[in-house]
Amino acid sequence: LARPALARLVSNVVDAERGARQRRQLESLADVSRAFNEAGESDVLDSIATALAKSSGFNWVTVTVFNQALDEVVERAMNIARHSQTGIAGEFREQRLPWQDRRPSPIALDLARTGEPLLIHDVFAEPDEHTPEAWRSRLPDMLDFYRRAHIVSIAMFPLNVRGAPLGSITFASSTSQRLDEGQVAFMTSLTVQAATAIQGVRLYRDLEAAKETLEQSEHRFRSLAQNSSDVVTVMDGSGCFQYASPSCERIMGYSPDE
């Protein structure tokens, strides 16, 4: 009787821990969404990096966004608010860190193509046969930074939206992190949430830029039409006048409204 009772007790404890973990993960996903909704247009990436660090428990989180040609980094953010007084935060602001290149790193591009994360539980350990070549070649240039930033583990995830590469997110920890399947799935969910938010910002900016271009074009057209000595008219598909320049009154005797 004691053995089945003990088994049920252990099962109940495991179920309770699993339920608590799932609730924390759901709350963390909500935090990322809330950070996006509450952030200003200019500091969305900073807010997302901070929310991801809080949700994942990692010390440092870097969000990198590429252009559509995948040959330039157009934005990069780090949760430096938490570490604002550190030398690493200062170097990041001054863009002096070894990975602050204007071109996307080969590692990030590889992840974008494969859609799979890169998980390094100990950056100082000797790479094995499963370690990607892009990581092997980059590692010697990064070791000094990892020592100064007290980074031991790296988890790097691709930022993709409907299969299209958008950038990458790097989680860095000062302790060794061996992520299990559930943790990887959770951090993938965080990354997907962040990618959706970043894509939303990109679409908004594109829409605002298109709107501004259209307004400038309309302003140039009206300026030319209103100062032209010739009659300028615009008709719709059914042949109805939508616009007539002021010169029509002088030449044809009709006001633009008529």
Side-chain angles (χ1 to χ4, degrees):
L1 292 177
R3 186 173 297 173
L6 179 59
R8 284 195 300 272
L9 178 60
V10 171
S11 177
N12 290 339
V13 170
V14 171
D15 288 342
E17 290 179 349
R18 185 181 296 114
R21 179 176 175 179
Q22 289 174 343
R23 284 194 297 273
R24 288 194 300 271
Q25 291 177 349
L26 288 173
E27 290 171 357
S28 297
L29 288 171
D31 286 342
V32 175
S33 179
R34 190 179 304 111
F36 167 62
N37 291 329
E38 294 177 355
E41 193 270 333
S42 62
D43 62 353
V44 169
L45 281 192
D46 292 335
S47 298
I48 288 176
T50 299
L52 289 173
K54 177 183 176 183
S55 302
S56 65
F58 278 68
N59 302 91
W60 296 98
V61 172
T62 306
V63 182
T64 304
V65 180
F66 310 147
N67 64 358
Q68 293 185 346
L70 304 181
D71 58 7
E72 184 181 0
V73 173
V74 293
E75 285 188 275
R76 184 181 277 120
M78 197 177 191
N79 63 317
I80 58 175
R82 177 181 173 186
H83 312 279
S84 58
Q85 303 303 314
T86 64
I88 297 300
E91 290 180 47
F92 178 82
R93 295 190 191 96
E94 297 170 5
Q95 298 188 18
R96 293 191 291 111
L97 292 176
W99 42 263
Q100 286 184 281
D101 303 327
R102 294 307 301 172
R103 295 182 63 83
S105 71
I107 304 170
L109 292 176
D110 281 352
L111 298 186
R113 283 189 285 267
T114 65
E116 297 295 328
L118 172 68
L119 307 175
I120 305 294
H121 75 275
D122 186 349
V123 296
F124 300 104
E126 187 69 23
D128 58 27
E129 66 274 13
H130 302 296
T131 305
E133 180 57 34
W135 171 262
R136 289 172 178 267
S137 60
R138 183 65 166 164
L139 184 58
D141 298 330
M142 298 293 295
L143 287 177
D144 180 65
F145 164 70
Y146 292 149
R147 291 190 184 96
R148 292 189 296 109
H150 307 290
I151 290 173
V152 176
S153 291
I154 291 287
M156 194 171 181
F157 289 76
L159 273 174
N160 292 341
V161 176
R162 293 188 292 276
L166 185 65
S168 65
I169 296 180
T170 302
F171 301 83
S173 174
S174 59
T175 59
S176 179
Q177 300 282 344
R178 291 183 179 272
L179 301 179
D180 60 30
E181 186 176 337
Q183 290 171 309
V184 172
F186 168 59
M187 293 178 71
T188 299
S189 297
L190 288 176
T191 303
V192 170
Q193 187 88 342
T196 303
I198 293 168
Q199 179 69 353
V201 172
R202 172 174 282 184
L203 292 174
Y204 172 78
R205 289 174 177 171
D206 290 346
L207 180 62
E208 288 296 299
K211 180 181 177 182
E212 182 177 353
T213 300
L214 178 60
E215 289 175 349
Q216 291 174 351
S217 178
E218 289 178 346
H219 176 74
R220 285 195 297 268
F221 170 78
R222 288 188 178 275
S223 179
L224 289 171
Q226 290 178 358
N227 292 287
S228 174
S229 59
D230 297 324
V231 176
V232 179
T233 60
V234 177
M235 292 187 294
D236 62 17
S238 61
C240 296
F241 287 100
Q242 298 297 309
Y243 173 81
S245 63
S247 58
C248 70
E249 186 169 8
R250 175 177 56 82
I251 296 174
M252 304 179 66
Y254 294 98
S255 69
D257 292 337
E258 296 175 309

